[in-house]
Amino acid sequence: RKEVEQDPGPFNVPEGATVAFNCTYSNSASQSFFWYRQDCRKEPKLLMSVYSSGNEDGRFTAQLNRASQYISLLIRDSKLSDSATYLCVVKRGNTPLVFGKGTRLSVIA
Amino acid sequence: EAEVAQSPRYKITEKSQAVAFWCDPISGHATLYWYRQILGQGPELLVQFQDESVVDDSQLPKDRFSAERLKGVDSTLKIQPAELGDSAMYLCASSLDRAWDTEAFFGQGTRLTVV
């Protein structure tokens, strides 16, 4: 079993839609959680960190459920420019970032 | 804005040949990572450096891959001999340190095609 599992996608949604991505992690010792965004043939870039209390950045909301070892990302009012692959990432202690396979989102006009 | 530099951006090589990739992290970043990303998959760690020391190379195929960061600054990843299955994006990332809450920044990657 992979340490980080994500919805496989792809998600094809119309502009303005709300879309949610889910992610589960297997190591309960994981301490920090992130969503990275990766555009086609580009490098991953940090979208947002995920905090236990949940956090919001504009149209993006991230939630963490430590008991269920579950992370989510909600995108409201989707824009064409949101089309990308969203990578769920976890980290514990000094160990490296561990990435999920990613979920591909296509926002359609 | 400071960024992680990688070269070359693209590399095509024949199988059984040697290939090398270079990475220059953001100045002052003690931690450096090499990841490999196969199309349709997430990045997977190959090696992690703290300054000039390797702290995790458990997933590095050591029979053909080697990595070094001699002065604790830039780093080189080498494959010899290359195999068809090595075709992938090789991503370098750096962070200030290894702490759990430190952001990692990625370079643009080297896309390797082995023919």
Side-chain angles (χ1 to χ4, degrees), chain A residues 54-100:
Chain A
N55 48 298
E56 189 174 304
D57 182 3
R59 299 180 293 108
F60 298 83
T61 301
Q63 297 279 349
L64 168 65
N65 184 322
R66 286 187 184 271
S68 301
Q69 297 181 196
Y70 171 95
I71 306 160
S72 65
L73 177 68
L74 184 77
I75 305 175
R76 290 182 299 278
D77 188 24
S78 299
K79 312 291 185 191
L80 294 175
S81 57
D82 294 334
S83 297
T85 295
Y86 291 83
L87 297 158
C88 177
V89 186
V90 305
K91 191 177 193 301
R92 64 184 183 280
N94 291 333
T95 63
L97 299 173
V98 178
F99 288 80

mmCIF file of all heavy atoms in Angstrom, chain A residues 54-100:
data_model
loop_
_atom_site.group_PDB
_atom_site.id
_atom_site.type_symbol
_atom_site.label_atom_id
_atom_site.label_comp_id
_atom_site.label_asym_id
_atom_site.label_seq_id
_atom_site.Cartn_x
_atom_site.Cartn_y
_atom_site.Cartn_z
ATOM 1 N N GLY A 54 -7.826 23.379 9.831
ATOM 2 C CA GLY A 54 -8.327 23.714 8.495
ATOM 3 C C GLY A 54 -7.886 25.115 8.134
ATOM 4 O O GLY A 54 -7.690 25.969 9.003
ATOM 5 N N ASN A 55 -7.692 25.357 6.852
ATOM 6 C CA ASN A 55 -7.266 26.682 6.444
ATOM 7 C C ASN A 55 -7.761 26.994 5.043
ATOM 8 O O ASN A 55 -8.042 26.096 4.260
ATOM 9 C CB ASN A 55 -5.738 26.846 6.555
ATOM 10 C CG ASN A 55 -4.946 25.714 5.944
ATOM 11 O OD1 ASN A 55 -5.046 24.565 6.366
ATOM 12 N ND2 ASN A 55 -4.155 26.048 4.946
ATOM 13 N N GLU A 56 -7.854 28.297 4.805
ATOM 14 C CA GLU A 56 -8.450 28.782 3.563
ATOM 15 C C GLU A 56 -7.517 29.806 2.928
ATOM 16 O O GLU A 56 -6.885 30.605 3.631
ATOM 17 C CB GLU A 56 -9.803 29.417 3.900
ATOM 18 C CG GLU A 56 -10.655 29.788 2.720
ATOM 19 C CD GLU A 56 -12.033 30.272 3.164
ATOM 20 O OE1 GLU A 56 -12.717 29.523 3.881
ATOM 21 O OE2 GLU A 56 -12.387 31.399 2.807
ATOM 22 N N ASP A 57 -7.437 29.764 1.613
ATOM 23 C CA ASP A 57 -6.660 30.765 0.890
ATOM 24 C C ASP A 57 -7.463 31.133 -0.347
ATOM 25 O O ASP A 57 -7.420 30.422 -1.353
ATOM 26 C CB ASP A 57 -5.289 30.193 0.514
ATOM 27 C CG ASP A 57 -4.411 31.218 -0.193
ATOM 28 O OD1 ASP A 57 -4.843 32.391 -0.346
ATOM 29 O OD2 ASP A 57 -3.288 30.863 -0.586
ATOM 30 N N GLY A 58 -8.231 32.185 -0.244
ATOM 31 C CA GLY A 58 -9.077 32.581 -1.362
ATOM 32 C C GLY A 58 -10.118 31.519 -1.663
ATOM 33 O O GLY A 58 -10.919 31.153 -0.801
ATOM 34 N N ARG A 59 -10.066 30.983 -2.870
ATOM 35 C CA ARG A 59 -11.054 29.972 -3.289
ATOM 36 C C ARG A 59 -10.691 28.561 -2.845
ATOM 37 O O ARG A 59 -11.438 27.616 -3.111
ATOM 38 C CB ARG A 59 -11.183 30.009 -4.818
ATOM 39 C CG ARG A 59 -11.673 31.339 -5.370
ATOM 40 C CD ARG A 59 -11.773 31.327 -6.895
ATOM 41 N NE ARG A 59 -10.477 31.218 -7.535
ATOM 42 C CZ ARG A 59 -10.043 30.110 -8.159
ATOM 43 N NH1 ARG A 59 -10.802 29.018 -8.208
ATOM 44 N NH2 ARG A 59 -8.853 30.090 -8.735
ATOM 45 N N PHE A 60 -9.555 28.413 -2.200
ATOM 46 C CA PHE A 60 -9.050 27.092 -1.824
ATOM 47 C C PHE A 60 -9.195 26.878 -0.311
ATOM 48 O O PHE A 60 -8.805 27.731 0.474
ATOM 49 C CB PHE A 60 -7.573 26.973 -2.216
ATOM 50 C CG PHE A 60 -7.335 27.086 -3.691
ATOM 51 C CD1 PHE A 60 -7.245 28.329 -4.303
ATOM 52 C CD2 PHE A 60 -7.206 25.953 -4.485
ATOM 53 C CE1 PHE A 60 -7.037 28.438 -5.674
ATOM 54 C CE2 PHE A 60 -6.997 26.061 -5.851
ATOM 55 C CZ PHE A 60 -6.910 27.298 -6.443
ATOM 56 N N THR A 61 -9.726 25.709 0.044
ATOM 57 C CA THR A 61 -9.855 25.341 1.451
ATOM 58 C C THR A 61 -9.274 23.948 1.661
ATOM 59 O O THR A 61 -9.619 23.025 0.922
ATOM 60 C CB THR A 61 -11.329 25.339 1.894
ATOM 61 O OG1 THR A 61 -11.888 26.633 1.693
ATOM 62 C CG2 THR A 61 -11.451 24.947 3.362
ATOM 63 N N ALA A 62 -8.401 23.832 2.640
ATOM 64 C CA ALA A 62 -7.795 22.541 2.953
ATOM 65 C C ALA A 62 -8.252 22.103 4.332
ATOM 66 O O ALA A 62 -8.387 22.914 5.246
ATOM 67 C CB ALA A 62 -6.276 22.655 2.904
ATOM 68 N N GLN A 63 -8.502 20.806 4.461
ATOM 69 C CA GLN A 63 -8.917 20.233 5.733
ATOM 70 C C GLN A 63 -8.049 19.027 6.064
ATOM 71 O O GLN A 63 -7.620 18.300 5.159
ATOM 72 C CB GLN A 63 -10.379 19.772 5.660
ATOM 73 C CG GLN A 63 -11.393 20.881 5.421
ATOM 74 C CD GLN A 63 -11.738 21.631 6.685
ATOM 75 O OE1 GLN A 63 -11.382 21.198 7.785
ATOM 76 N NE2 GLN A 63 -12.421 22.759 6.543
ATOM 77 N N LEU A 64 -7.837 18.799 7.354
ATOM 78 C CA LEU A 64 -7.065 17.655 7.827
ATOM 79 C C LEU A 64 -7.862 16.954 8.918
ATOM 80 O O LEU A 64 -8.369 17.596 9.832
ATOM 81 C CB LEU A 64 -5.718 18.128 8.388
ATOM 82 C CG LEU A 64 -4.893 17.122 9.172
ATOM 83 C CD1 LEU A 64 -4.448 15.969 8.285
ATOM 84 C CD2 LEU A 64 -3.683 17.802 9.814
ATOM 85 N N ASN A 65 -7.975 15.648 8.806
ATOM 86 C CA ASN A 65 -8.594 14.829 9.845
ATOM 87 C C ASN A 65 -7.557 13.812 10.286
ATOM 88 O O ASN A 65 -7.345 12.792 9.619
ATOM 89 C CB ASN A 65 -9.849 14.144 9.297
ATOM 90 C CG ASN A 65 -10.592 13.355 10.364
ATOM 91 O OD1 ASN A 65 -9.975 12.728 11.228
ATOM 92 N ND2 ASN A 65 -11.899 13.382 10.297
ATOM 93 N N ARG A 66 -6.888 14.093 11.404
ATOM 94 C CA ARG A 66 -5.807 13.207 11.860
ATOM 95 C C ARG A 66 -6.339 11.846 12.289
ATOM 96 O O ARG A 66 -5.680 10.836 12.087
ATOM 97 C CB ARG A 66 -5.041 13.862 13.006
ATOM 98 C CG ARG A 66 -4.128 14.987 12.589
ATOM 99 C CD ARG A 66 -3.293 15.452 13.772
ATOM 100 N NE ARG A 66 -2.469 16.599 13.435
ATOM 101 C CZ ARG A 66 -1.237 16.500 12.937
ATOM 102 N NH1 ARG A 66 -0.705 15.313 12.713
ATOM 103 N NH2 ARG A 66 -0.541 17.597 12.669
ATOM 104 N N ALA A 67 -7.514 11.826 12.866
ATOM 105 C CA ALA A 67 -8.064 10.553 13.348
ATOM 106 C C ALA A 67 -8.303 9.591 12.192
ATOM 107 O O ALA A 67 -8.034 8.394 12.284
ATOM 108 C CB ALA A 67 -9.354 10.807 14.116
ATOM 109 N N SER A 68 -8.777 10.127 11.083
ATOM 110 C CA SER A 68 -9.053 9.301 9.905
ATOM 111 C C SER A 68 -7.886 9.286 8.923
ATOM 112 O O SER A 68 -7.946 8.601 7.900
ATOM 113 C CB SER A 68 -10.304 9.814 9.183
ATOM 114 O OG SER A 68 -11.418 9.793 10.041
ATOM 115 N N GLN A 69 -6.855 10.091 9.209
ATOM 116 C CA GLN A 69 -5.673 10.187 8.336
ATOM 117 C C GLN A 69 -6.114 10.556 6.923
ATOM 118 O O GLN A 69 -5.798 9.860 5.943
ATOM 119 C CB GLN A 69 -4.848 8.891 8.404
ATOM 120 C CG GLN A 69 -4.300 8.662 9.785
ATOM 121 C CD GLN A 69 -3.451 7.404 9.939
ATOM 122 O OE1 GLN A 69 -3.210 6.964 11.052
ATOM 123 N NE2 GLN A 69 -3.018 6.825 8.865
ATOM 124 N N TYR A 70 -6.785 11.665 6.864
ATOM 125 C CA TYR A 70 -7.472 12.088 5.652
ATOM 126 C C TYR A 70 -7.254 13.587 5.448
ATOM 127 O O TYR A 70 -7.334 14.374 6.392
ATOM 128 C CB TYR A 70 -8.957 11.767 5.870
ATOM 129 C CG TYR A 70 -9.932 12.275 4.866
ATOM 130 C CD1 TYR A 70 -10.350 11.476 3.814
ATOM 131 C CD2 TYR A 70 -10.503 13.544 4.997
ATOM 132 C CE1 TYR A 70 -11.283 11.924 2.911
ATOM 133 C CE2 TYR A 70 -11.432 14.000 4.087
ATOM 134 C CZ TYR A 70 -11.825 13.181 3.055
ATOM 135 O OH TYR A 70 -12.758 13.622 2.156
ATOM 136 N N ILE A 71 -6.955 13.950 4.200
ATOM 137 C CA ILE A 71 -6.726 15.352 3.842
ATOM 138 C C ILE A 71 -7.625 15.677 2.650
ATOM 139 O O ILE A 71 -7.835 14.821 1.784
ATOM 140 C CB ILE A 71 -5.258 15.563 3.422
ATOM 141 C CG1 ILE A 71 -4.299 15.054 4.495
ATOM 142 C CG2 ILE A 71 -4.968 17.027 3.128
ATOM 143 C CD1 ILE A 71 -2.904 14.803 3.952
ATOM 144 N N SER A 72 -8.128 16.891 2.622
ATOM 145 C CA SER A 72 -8.966 17.270 1.484
ATOM 146 C C SER A 72 -8.589 18.663 0.989
ATOM 147 O O SER A 72 -7.996 19.462 1.710
ATOM 148 C CB SER A 72 -10.446 17.236 1.866
ATOM 149 O OG SER A 72 -10.722 18.217 2.839
ATOM 150 N N LEU A 73 -8.935 18.895 -0.263
ATOM 151 C CA LEU A 73 -8.762 20.217 -0.875
ATOM 152 C C LEU A 73 -10.042 20.542 -1.617
ATOM 153 O O LEU A 73 -10.499 19.749 -2.445
ATOM 154 C CB LEU A 73 -7.582 20.222 -1.841
ATOM 155 C CG LEU A 73 -7.353 21.530 -2.597
ATOM 156 C CD1 LEU A 73 -6.897 22.638 -1.648
ATOM 157 C CD2 LEU A 73 -6.330 21.340 -3.717
ATOM 158 N N LEU A 74 -10.599 21.702 -1.308
ATOM 159 C CA LEU A 74 -11.820 22.164 -1.957
ATOM 160 C C LEU A 74 -11.491 23.401 -2.774
ATOM 161 O O LEU A 74 -10.871 24.329 -2.270
ATOM 162 C CB LEU A 74 -12.877 22.496 -0.906
ATOM 163 C CG LEU A 74 -14.244 22.915 -1.416
ATOM 164 C CD1 LEU A 74 -15.016 21.686 -1.877
ATOM 165 C CD2 LEU A 74 -15.031 23.651 -0.328
ATOM 166 N N ILE A 75 -11.911 23.390 -4.020
ATOM 167 C CA ILE A 75 -11.721 24.556 -4.886
ATOM 168 C C ILE A 75 -13.112 25.066 -5.264
ATOM 169 O O ILE A 75 -13.917 24.333 -5.850
ATOM 170 C CB ILE A 75 -10.933 24.210 -6.165
ATOM 171 C CG1 ILE A 75 -9.599 23.559 -5.816
ATOM 172 C CG2 ILE A 75 -10.715 25.474 -7.002
ATOM 173 C CD1 ILE A 75 -8.813 23.077 -7.042
ATOM 174 N N ARG A 76 -13.374 26.303 -4.898
ATOM 175 C CA ARG A 76 -14.675 26.913 -5.239
ATOM 176 C C ARG A 76 -14.515 27.792 -6.469
ATOM 177 O O ARG A 76 -13.434 28.320 -6.751
ATOM 178 C CB ARG A 76 -15.159 27.773 -4.074
ATOM 179 C CG ARG A 76 -15.585 26.988 -2.843
ATOM 180 C CD ARG A 76 -16.106 27.947 -1.759
ATOM 181 N NE ARG A 76 -15.072 28.890 -1.355
ATOM 182 C CZ ARG A 76 -14.125 28.611 -0.478
ATOM 183 N NH1 ARG A 76 -14.081 27.430 0.095
ATOM 184 N NH2 ARG A 76 -13.229 29.522 -0.158
ATOM 185 N N ASP A 77 -15.623 27.971 -7.196
ATOM 186 C CA ASP A 77 -15.642 28.862 -8.349
ATOM 187 C C ASP A 77 -14.446 28.590 -9.273
ATOM 188 O O ASP A 77 -13.616 29.476 -9.536
ATOM 189 C CB ASP A 77 -15.635 30.322 -7.869
ATOM 190 C CG ASP A 77 -15.842 31.303 -8.996
ATOM 191 O OD1 ASP A 77 -16.426 30.913 -10.031
ATOM 192 O OD2 ASP A 77 -15.396 32.469 -8.854
ATOM 193 N N SER A 78 -14.342 27.373 -9.749
ATOM 194 C CA SER A 78 -13.194 26.935 -10.559
ATOM 195 C C SER A 78 -12.949 27.849 -11.749
ATOM 196 O O SER A 78 -13.882 28.274 -12.435
ATOM 197 C CB SER A 78 -13.419 25.507 -11.064
ATOM 198 O OG SER A 78 -13.555 24.614 -10.000
ATOM 199 N N LYS A 79 -11.676 28.115 -12.007
ATOM 200 C CA LYS A 79 -11.241 28.909 -13.162
ATOM 201 C C LYS A 79 -10.498 27.998 -14.136
ATOM 202 O O LYS A 79 -9.939 26.979 -13.745
ATOM 203 C CB LYS A 79 -10.276 30.017 -12.705
ATOM 204 C CG LYS A 79 -10.738 30.837 -11.518
ATOM 205 C CD LYS A 79 -11.907 31.702 -11.871
ATOM 206 C CE LYS A 79 -12.278 32.619 -10.693
ATOM 207 N NZ LYS A 79 -13.579 33.286 -10.911
ATOM 208 N N LEU A 80 -10.461 28.421 -15.382
ATOM 209 C CA LEU A 80 -9.704 27.657 -16.388
ATOM 210 C C LEU A 80 -8.259 27.483 -15.936
ATOM 211 O O LEU A 80 -7.644 26.430 -16.158
ATOM 212 C CB LEU A 80 -9.742 28.372 -17.743
ATOM 213 C CG LEU A 80 -11.098 28.458 -18.422
ATOM 214 C CD1 LEU A 80 -10.990 29.303 -19.707
ATOM 215 C CD2 LEU A 80 -11.632 27.075 -18.756
ATOM 216 N N SER A 81 -7.730 28.503 -15.277
ATOM 217 C CA SER A 81 -6.332 28.471 -14.843
ATOM 218 C C SER A 81 -6.084 27.500 -13.689
ATOM 219 O O SER A 81 -4.920 27.261 -13.330
ATOM 220 C CB SER A 81 -5.883 29.874 -14.421
ATOM 221 O OG SER A 81 -6.723 30.366 -13.390
ATOM 222 N N ASP A 82 -7.142 26.935 -13.124
ATOM 223 C CA ASP A 82 -6.960 25.926 -12.071
ATOM 224 C C ASP A 82 -6.625 24.554 -12.645
ATOM 225 O O ASP A 82 -6.275 23.637 -11.898
ATOM 226 C CB ASP A 82 -8.235 25.798 -11.224
ATOM 227 C CG ASP A 82 -8.544 27.050 -10.415
ATOM 228 O OD1 ASP A 82 -7.591 27.803 -10.093
ATOM 229 O OD2 ASP A 82 -9.735 27.277 -10.121
ATOM 230 N N SER A 83 -6.735 24.399 -13.955
ATOM 231 C CA SER A 83 -6.423 23.114 -14.591
ATOM 232 C C SER A 83 -4.962 22.758 -14.343
ATOM 233 O O SER A 83 -4.046 23.510 -14.703
ATOM 234 C CB SER A 83 -6.686 23.184 -16.099
ATOM 235 O OG SER A 83 -8.049 23.410 -16.352
ATOM 236 N N ALA A 84 -4.758 21.620 -13.703
ATOM 237 C CA ALA A 84 -3.415 21.190 -13.288
ATOM 238 C C ALA A 84 -3.558 19.845 -12.593
ATOM 239 O O ALA A 84 -4.654 19.311 -12.452
ATOM 240 C CB ALA A 84 -2.792 22.204 -12.334
ATOM 241 N N THR A 85 -2.433 19.314 -12.155
ATOM 242 C CA THR A 85 -2.440 18.133 -11.293
ATOM 243 C C THR A 85 -2.177 18.580 -9.870
ATOM 244 O O THR A 85 -1.276 19.390 -9.625
ATOM 245 C CB THR A 85 -1.373 17.117 -11.738
ATOM 246 O OG1 THR A 85 -1.714 16.619 -13.034
ATOM 247 C CG2 THR A 85 -1.305 15.938 -10.763
ATOM 248 N N TYR A 86 -2.975 18.069 -8.935
ATOM 249 C CA TYR A 86 -2.851 18.443 -7.531
ATOM 250 C C TYR A 86 -2.271 17.259 -6.765
ATOM 251 O O TYR A 86 -2.824 16.154 -6.770
ATOM 252 C CB TYR A 86 -4.212 18.879 -6.985
ATOM 253 C CG TYR A 86 -4.634 20.194 -7.611
ATOM 254 C CD1 TYR A 86 -5.252 20.215 -8.860
ATOM 255 C CD2 TYR A 86 -4.338 21.405 -6.989
ATOM 256 C CE1 TYR A 86 -5.588 21.419 -9.472
ATOM 257 C CE2 TYR A 86 -4.674 22.611 -7.595
ATOM 258 C CZ TYR A 86 -5.291 22.612 -8.831
ATOM 259 O OH TYR A 86 -5.614 23.805 -9.441
ATOM 260 N N LEU A 87 -1.149 17.504 -6.130
ATOM 261 C CA LEU A 87 -0.394 16.467 -5.440
ATOM 262 C C LEU A 87 -0.569 16.619 -3.927
ATOM 263 O O LEU A 87 -0.320 17.694 -3.368
ATOM 264 C CB LEU A 87 1.097 16.568 -5.778
ATOM 265 C CG LEU A 87 1.462 16.346 -7.249
ATOM 266 C CD1 LEU A 87 2.817 16.972 -7.562
ATOM 267 C CD2 LEU A 87 1.495 14.859 -7.571
ATOM 268 N N CYS A 88 -0.975 15.540 -3.295
ATOM 269 C CA CYS A 88 -1.081 15.495 -1.841
ATOM 270 C C CYS A 88 0.274 15.061 -1.292
ATOM 271 O O CYS A 88 0.868 14.092 -1.805
ATOM 272 C CB CYS A 88 -2.170 14.502 -1.463
ATOM 273 S SG CYS A 88 -2.399 14.250 0.295
ATOM 274 N N VAL A 89 0.778 15.756 -0.276
ATOM 275 C CA VAL A 89 2.142 15.522 0.194
ATOM 276 C C VAL A 89 2.156 15.479 1.716
ATOM 277 O O VAL A 89 1.521 16.305 2.372
ATOM 278 C CB VAL A 89 3.085 16.648 -0.280
ATOM 279 C CG1 VAL A 89 4.524 16.338 0.083
ATOM 280 C CG2 VAL A 89 2.952 16.859 -1.787
ATOM 281 N N VAL A 90 2.884 14.522 2.274
ATOM 282 C CA VAL A 90 3.021 14.439 3.728
ATOM 283 C C VAL A 90 4.491 14.390 4.108
ATOM 284 O O VAL A 90 5.349 14.041 3.306
ATOM 285 C CB VAL A 90 2.284 13.208 4.308
ATOM 286 C CG1 VAL A 90 0.829 13.206 3.901
ATOM 287 C CG2 VAL A 90 2.946 11.924 3.905
ATOM 288 N N LYS A 91 4.762 14.741 5.363
ATOM 289 C CA LYS A 91 6.149 14.739 5.856
ATOM 290 C C LYS A 91 6.116 14.418 7.348
ATOM 291 O O LYS A 91 5.188 14.795 8.057
ATOM 292 C CB LYS A 91 6.775 16.112 5.612
ATOM 293 C CG LYS A 91 8.292 16.179 5.830
ATOM 294 C CD LYS A 91 8.815 17.557 5.497
ATOM 295 C CE LYS A 91 10.329 17.604 5.391
ATOM 296 N NZ LYS A 91 11.027 17.186 6.618
ATOM 297 N N ARG A 92 7.151 13.740 7.827
ATOM 298 C CA ARG A 92 7.296 13.519 9.260
ATOM 299 C C ARG A 92 8.751 13.727 9.631
ATOM 300 O O ARG A 92 9.667 13.292 8.921
ATOM 301 C CB ARG A 92 6.841 12.111 9.654
ATOM 302 C CG ARG A 92 7.641 10.992 9.066
ATOM 303 C CD ARG A 92 7.067 9.627 9.426
ATOM 304 N NE ARG A 92 7.893 8.565 8.898
ATOM 305 C CZ ARG A 92 7.859 8.152 7.639
ATOM 306 N NH1 ARG A 92 7.031 8.709 6.783
ATOM 307 N NH2 ARG A 92 8.642 7.170 7.240
ATOM 308 N N GLY A 93 8.945 14.477 10.700
ATOM 309 C CA GLY A 93 10.277 14.726 11.197
ATOM 310 C C GLY A 93 11.186 15.276 10.113
ATOM 311 O O GLY A 93 10.819 16.166 9.357
ATOM 312 N N ASN A 94 12.387 14.691 10.055
ATOM 313 C CA ASN A 94 13.383 15.133 9.094
ATOM 314 C C ASN A 94 13.326 14.365 7.781
ATOM 315 O O ASN A 94 14.200 14.546 6.930
ATOM 316 C CB ASN A 94 14.787 14.964 9.690
ATOM 317 C CG ASN A 94 15.025 15.931 10.834
ATOM 318 O OD1 ASN A 94 14.429 16.993 10.882
ATOM 319 N ND2 ASN A 94 15.890 15.554 11.759
ATOM 320 N N THR A 95 12.358 13.503 7.631
ATOM 321 C CA THR A 95 12.299 12.686 6.411
ATOM 322 C C THR A 95 11.801 13.531 5.244
ATOM 323 O O THR A 95 11.191 14.579 5.429
ATOM 324 C CB THR A 95 11.377 11.479 6.601
ATOM 325 O OG1 THR A 95 10.045 11.935 6.855
ATOM 326 C CG2 THR A 95 11.850 10.616 7.771
ATOM 327 N N PRO A 96 12.059 13.072 4.023
ATOM 328 C CA PRO A 96 11.668 13.847 2.847
ATOM 329 C C PRO A 96 10.152 13.902 2.644
ATOM 330 O O PRO A 96 9.404 13.125 3.233
ATOM 331 C CB PRO A 96 12.316 13.085 1.689
ATOM 332 C CG PRO A 96 13.320 12.194 2.305
ATOM 333 C CD PRO A 96 12.825 11.883 3.670
ATOM 334 N N LEU A 97 9.739 14.790 1.792
ATOM 335 C CA LEU A 97 8.341 14.850 1.379
ATOM 336 C C LEU A 97 7.961 13.560 0.681
ATOM 337 O O LEU A 97 8.726 13.034 -0.128
ATOM 338 C CB LEU A 97 8.131 16.016 0.401
ATOM 339 C CG LEU A 97 8.435 17.423 0.901
ATOM 340 C CD1 LEU A 97 8.343 18.410 -0.249
ATOM 341 C CD2 LEU A 97 7.469 17.817 2.003
ATOM 342 N N VAL A 98 6.760 13.061 0.986
ATOM 343 C CA VAL A 98 6.232 11.880 0.310
ATOM 344 C C VAL A 98 4.995 12.324 -0.474
ATOM 345 O O VAL A 98 4.062 12.894 0.094
ATOM 346 C CB VAL A 98 5.854 10.773 1.306
ATOM 347 C CG1 VAL A 98 5.262 9.580 0.560
ATOM 348 C CG2 VAL A 98 7.069 10.354 2.126
ATOM 349 N N PHE A 99 5.003 12.045 -1.763
ATOM 350 C CA PHE A 99 3.961 12.518 -2.673
ATOM 351 C C PHE A 99 2.969 11.417 -3.016
ATOM 352 O O PHE A 99 3.338 10.248 -3.163
ATOM 353 C CB PHE A 99 4.590 12.985 -3.994
ATOM 354 C CG PHE A 99 5.343 14.273 -3.897
ATOM 355 C CD1 PHE A 99 6.632 14.304 -3.387
ATOM 356 C CD2 PHE A 99 4.774 15.461 -4.326
ATOM 357 C CE1 PHE A 99 7.336 15.494 -3.306
ATOM 358 C CE2 PHE A 99 5.465 16.658 -4.254
ATOM 359 C CZ PHE A 99 6.750 16.668 -3.732
ATOM 360 N N GLY A 100 1.704 11.825 -3.183
ATOM 361 C CA GLY A 100 0.734 10.948 -3.817
ATOM 362 C C GLY A 100 0.930 10.986 -5.326
ATOM 363 O O GLY A 100 1.768 11.732 -5.845
#
